Amino acid sequence: AQSVSQHNHHVILSEAASLELGCNYSYGGTVNLFWYVQYPGQHLQLLLKYFSGDPLVKGIKGFEAEFIKSKFSFNLRKPSVQWSDTAEYFCAVMDYGGSQGNLIFGKGTKLSVKP
Amino acid sequence: KAGVTQTPRYLIKTRGQQVTLSCSPISGHRSVSWYQQTPGQGLQFLFEYFSETQRNKGNFPGRFSGRQFSNSRSEMNVSTLELGDSALYLCASSLALGGGVADTQYFGPGTRLTVL
């Protein structure tokens, strides 16, 4: 069965530092990959997604992610974080085993940005 | 375009009771999925409905059930509540283009269920 690993449980950065959050999935083959963000007190929002094509995808708020098929990875990056990026970040893989309604989520990474 | 809406936003129940949660998808979206979010287990898939039929189901006991109406609105029911059912229940909707075509799920704010 598909599984998703996020390597860091909690990351603490100062403003303007660069960010990279790791995400690995277990299943090879066609995958659709997502990063969602949950700001404090708010609901899950789509940050970016990869379906096919250019493995470097750009999302909202200056975030980007790179899909590396050989490493089963989809790491999230941002060159310079802001205090407002403090949130929990979830990597997810769409499992098309039976149909297309099953997102497999990682455990999430909490990002705290110090002003 | 209005987003996914969930009602109620907060709910307190006692063990043994049952509860029904409601989800209205984004207009035009035909698929509704439900997830449970807890600090210990994270986000876990419950089930997905499409055209009033359950298409996919996660590893939850039969106490968790759902349905979808002809207007794509969905309800989730949990019977015989246990303390461990305390969680944030999230609903997500998508276009469900079919045939394995890549799709995106959009989430509602969730219903916070507390079981005492």
Side-chain angles (χ1 to χ4, degrees), chain A residues 9 30-32 34 36 38 41-46 48-52 88 90-91 94-108, chain B residues 9 31 33 35 37 40-45 47-48 55-58 88 90 94-110:
Chain A
H9 178 65
T30 302
V31 289
N32 298 131
F34 305 82
Y36 284 88
Q38 192 168 32
Q42 296 187 29
H43 60 277
L44 275 170
Q45 300 173 39
L46 180 68
L48 48 76
K49 61 189 177 187
Y50 173 78
F51 288 172
S52 64
E88 190 158 15
F90 295 90
C91 180
M94 178 59 81
D95 183 354
Y96 286 98
S99 59
Q100 58 186 63
N102 186 358
L103 268 176
I104 310 297
F105 281 90
K107 293 288 190 186
Chain B
R9 293 292 310 277
S31 168
S33 298
Y35 297 83
Q37 186 177 23
Q41 298 298 318
L43 279 150
Q44 293 184 283
F45 172 74
F47 31 64
E48 184 231 359
R55 267 200 318 192
N56 207 354
K57 191 177 189 304
L88 181 66
L90 297 171
S94 69
L95 285 167
L97 300 167
V101 176
D103 205 354
T104 302
Q105 295 192 359
Y106 296 91
F107 285 80

Side-chain angles (χ1 to χ4, degrees), chain B:
Chain B
K1 205 180 220 184
V4 178
T5 57
Q6 292 186 245
T7 57
R9 293 292 310 277
Y10 302 91
L11 208 46
I12 299 175
K13 293 285 188 179
T14 56
R15 278 183 300 173
Q17 287 187 310
Q18 76 165 27
V19 67
T20 299
L21 313 181
S22 180
C23 171
S24 293
I26 291 171
S27 178
H29 284 195
R30 301 159 68 195
S31 168
V32 172
S33 298
W34 288 88
Y35 297 83
Q36 182 195 64
Q37 186 177 23
T38 59
Q41 298 298 318
L43 279 150
Q44 293 184 283
F45 172 74
L46 281 154
F47 31 64
E48 184 231 359
Y49 284 86
F50 175 78
S51 290
E52 302 178 63
T53 301
Q54 187 182 88
R55 267 200 318 192
N56 207 354
K57 191 177 189 304
N59 295 324
F60 278 80
R63 298 185 298 106
F64 292 82
S65 64
R67 58 178 176 168
Q68 187 180 34
F69 302 94
S70 57
N71 61 358
S72 294
R73 190 178 71 84
S74 177
E75 286 182 348
M76 189 191 92
N77 184 274
V78 188
S79 63
T80 320
L81 284 166
E82 300 177 0
L83 295 178
D85 297 333
S86 293
L88 181 66
Y89 289 89
L90 297 171
C91 165
S93 76
S94 69
L95 285 167
L97 300 167
V101 176
D103 205 354
T104 302
Q105 295 192 359
Y106 296 91
F107 285 80
T111 294
R112 173 76 62 185
L113 172 65
T114 302
V115 182
L116 302 175

